[in-house]
Amino acid sequence: MDEWFSAFKAQATPAQLYGFLQHMPKGGDLHHHLTGSGFSHWWWDIATDEAHNGGYRYYTRTLAKLCNGYGTNAYGPMPEHLLFHTVQQSTYNALSDCKKSEYTALSDLTADQQSAFLDSIRLDKPYEGRNEFFETHWQRLGDLTRNPHVQAYLLLKNMQAYQLEQVTYLETQVNVKGMLYPDGSIMQAEQALQTIETMLASQAATDTGVTVRFQYALLRFLPDAEQQLRWIYAFVDAHRDRYVGINFVGREDNDKGYPLRFLPVLRELRQAYPAIALSIHAGEVDEPNHHVRDTLLLGAKRIGHGLNTISDPQTLLLMRHGPYLIEINLISNLLLEYVKDFTEHPFAEYLRTGIPVALSTDDRGMWDSTLTDEFYLAVTRFNLSWQELLALHRNSLQYAFIAEPAKRALIEHWQQQTAVFEQKQITHNTVYHPSQTGQFICRYAPKVCSLATGDKYE
């Protein structure tokens, strides 16, 4: 198969290579923010469908007036310039008349307003980057992220999309604390989780064949992050059938969330609870630091991004052939400007010096991308061999946090499917084309359309 794949890469068209990678049996997506994985049209479809979203009605800001006060939401002050910030009916009802006049019901948007709303929650302009992503995208979603019916819908859509990409396993970050009922009252976390579990038990979810487990995410720079972590630990411990780990998220260049801040509370919690796996964002910064090393000291088994690990030789040596995995997110790192082009990305160095890595999608809905896109970029920009492709898929299952019996079953299933796929290629030289429901990489031009030949945005 190695020789076949090498020859195939040399003569295949981009569409044929993409189709091949799309149909190839895949392992898992281990670095996946559920609310960042929703494509704009998925958000729109569920937000405007009160019959299926739990009976919630949503309004979004379409005007900016000089009303007295800014108002508040779950993220703090709402900047006056932030159009398309979205609230549910109960939040809208509590606004002043002036503030209400800034908002329009989603169902009443004009065609141009709808298009602008969809564009506002994806990174699709050459001048947009990490500040646009971190400081506006999540804030615009507003109350949409506090509806468990919306989260359940996004999860199902992801599972159905991954079925089409032959993905075996999804380990996604799902938070359920602070969800709202339509009247604005707080929903108990147990009730919110049950809403999502009901979807997962449905025939539609079962038909995808995708195994799903959750991580709970801690926003690391919150002033009460330690207390939040105590609650998360207790909740994950009580729901180990679904939750398999905890993740620390948020801009790493916000020093209020530095890793060693959490060492005392983690040591406290490990006195009280059986082990809970940690996969922590670290090394997603421009400058050298020891955050990855410090994150390993916290007990993390997987590192999210790990870009600047390349600048810490001692930690690199520690991670070679070791028990730790780096979750690589190529498109995310480029769009958020942590690398100018892929010649700066350390992925190949990690892969080819024995540091376990796996490809993942991060916030795929906001990039308008797929897991196949990540593999297409890896193959075309780093000339991956067949064995390296297999290692990436195997790692994404071997380093999953799911319980060992289920993990073994997933690996065996993937190996069987891969053997069949390989035989079809060698025997029949099957030609695959991108499915109509999939997206070729140039789908999200102008930014990434040129990635196969050059990575800089013009």
Side-chain angles (χ1 to χ4, degrees):
M1 189 66 184
D2 299 83
E3 292 182 4
W4 182 94
F5 185 64
S6 180
F8 172 72
K9 283 189 300 179
Q11 55 83 32
T13 67
Q16 289 172 339
L17 176 58
Y18 191 90
F20 174 90
L21 294 171
Q22 186 182 59
H23 287 83
M24 179 183 180
K26 297 177 181 63
D29 192 346
L30 300 181
H31 189 116
H32 183 278
H33 303 264
L34 181 58
T35 50
S37 71
F39 292 89
S40 294
H41 60 280
W42 292 355
W43 286 106
W44 174 267
D45 290 346
I46 190 62
T48 56
D49 187 352
E50 294 180 46
H52 294 95
N53 71 15
Y56 296 70
R57 181 172 174 79
Y58 290 98
Y59 296 77
T60 195
R61 179 185 268 173
T62 55
L63 293 172
K65 296 183 178 180
L66 296 177
C67 300
N68 291 328
Y70 287 99
T72 59
N73 68 358
Y75 299 93
M78 297 189 302
E80 197 70 13
H81 68 276
L82 193 59
L83 296 178
F84 303 108
H85 170 251
T86 302
V87 298
Q88 66 181 51
Q89 178 87 57
S90 62
T91 304
Y92 172 81
N93 290 343
L95 297 175
S96 67
D97 288 343
C98 181
K99 295 299 291 184
K100 284 179 180 176
S101 68
E102 295 182 323
Y103 285 78
T104 304
L106 281 183
S107 56
D108 294 337
L109 295 187
T110 66
D112 286 344
Q113 288 173 329
Q114 178 184 343
S115 179
F117 170 85
L118 296 175
D119 285 345
S120 75
I121 49 177
R122 57 189 172 209
L123 214 62
D124 62 346
K125 303 294 190 302
Y127 51 81
E128 294 176 337
R130 82 179 68 156
N131 289 335
E132 176 75 10
F133 170 73
F134 284 116
E135 296 176 12
T136 70
H137 278 50
W138 302 96
Q139 291 83 343
R140 283 189 176 113
L141 290 172
D143 287 346
L144 284 169
T145 65
R146 304 183 72 185
N147 181 342
H149 300 278
V150 170
Q151 295 223 34
Y153 177 82
L154 295 180
L155 180 55
L156 176 61
K157 297 297 288 185
N158 270 279
M159 295 169 68
Q160 291 171 335
Y162 281 139
Q163 178 187 17
L164 296 170
E165 291 189 83
Q166 318 304 317
V167 175
T168 302
Y169 176 70
L170 172 60
E171 193 170 293
T172 184
Q173 296 164 40
V174 180
N175 288 15
V176 291
K177 186 180 182 182
M179 297 291 109
L180 299 175
Y181 286 108
D183 66 2
S185 58
I186 299 294
M187 184 183 299
Q188 292 297 312
E190 298 281 354
Q191 180 61 48
L193 178 58
Q194 186 55 54
T195 298
I196 301 173
E197 289 287 3
T198 298
M199 183 283 295
L200 286 168
S202 69
Q203 192 63 49
T206 302
D207 287 346
T208 67
V210 179
T211 298
V212 175
R213 294 294 185 272
F214 296 166
Q215 298 175 20
Y216 210 105
L218 170 72
L219 193 56
R220 64 201 303 161
F221 50 73
L222 292 176
D224 65 342
E226 289 85 353
Q227 190 57 35
Q228 293 290 339
L229 183 57
R230 292 185 178 94
W231 182 91
I232 291 170
Y233 238 81
F235 188 81
V236 169
D237 179 64
H239 298 90
R240 288 178 182 259
D241 55 334
R242 183 62 64 190
Y243 280 90
V244 295
I246 296 172
N247 209 312
F248 293 8
V249 305
R251 292 187 71 151
E252 202 176 338
D253 53 12
N254 183 334
D255 289 337
K256 293 179 180 178
Y258 69 98
L260 292 185
R261 168 184 172 181
F262 298 98
L263 188 57
V265 67
L266 282 168
R267 287 177 171 170
E268 167 199 319
L269 291 166
R270 283 193 280 261
Q271 292 279 343
Y273 295 97
I276 294 176
L278 301 178
S279 174
I280 300 178
H281 289 57
E284 190 188 12
V285 288
D286 299 306
E287 71 279 358
N289 60 33
H290 296 293
H291 283 185
V292 173
R293 182 197 64 188
D294 293 345
T295 296
L296 296 177
L297 183 60
L298 296 184
K301 296 183 178 179
R302 299 201 318 246
I303 301 297
H305 298 285
L307 273 170
N308 76 353
T309 314
I310 195 75
S311 65
D312 185 354
Q314 289 185 329
T315 304
L316 277 178
L317 289 172
L318 177 66
M319 299 184 75
R320 286 188 66 202
H321 313 296
Y324 312 113
L325 175 126
I326 297 179
E327 302 155 355
I328 298 292
N329 307 280
L330 295 172
I331 293 173
S332 172
N333 297 155
L334 188 70
L335 295 186
L336 299 187
E337 302 166 339
Y338 291 109
V339 294
K340 292 180 181 178
D341 57 61
F342 286 126
T343 63
E344 296 181 355
H345 203 289
F347 163 63
E349 183 72 9
Y350 298 163
L351 174 69
R352 289 161 178 162
T353 59
I355 295 175
V357 290
L359 294 177
S360 46
T361 61
D362 203 10
D363 297 288
R364 62 192 296 266
M366 295 180 179
W367 323 142
D368 242 1
S369 69
T370 68
L371 189 58
T372 302
D373 291 336
E374 299 285 342
F375 278 95
Y376 180 82
L377 287 174
V379 169
T380 56
R381 296 300 291 130
F382 301 102
N383 191 27
L384 295 187
S385 70
W386 182 247
Q387 291 304 317
E388 288 172 335
L389 262 180
L390 293 182
L392 292 170
H393 290 300
R394 188 183 299 108
N395 285 346
S396 67
L397 295 175
Q398 187 63 50
Y399 287 84
F401 291 156
I402 193 170
E404 284 301 323
K407 180 188 294 187
R408 287 195 297 271
L410 288 172
I411 293 174
E412 289 175 5
H413 175 75
W414 170 76
Q415 290 173 332
Q416 292 168 1
Q417 295 298 108
T418 299
V420 172
F421 183 78
E422 288 179 330
Q423 190 60 44
K424 286 178 65 176
Q425 300 309 124
I426 293 173
T427 304
H428 302 292
N429 210 32
T430 305
V431 176
Y432 293 101
H433 298 282
S435 68
Q436 292 181 349
T437 49
Q439 300 178 71
F440 186 64
I441 191 165
C442 287
R443 162 71 175 82
Y444 50 105
K447 278 196 170 182
V448 192
C449 190
S450 62
L451 286 184
T453 55
D455 313 317
K456 296 180 180 179
Y457 307 157
E458 301 297 340

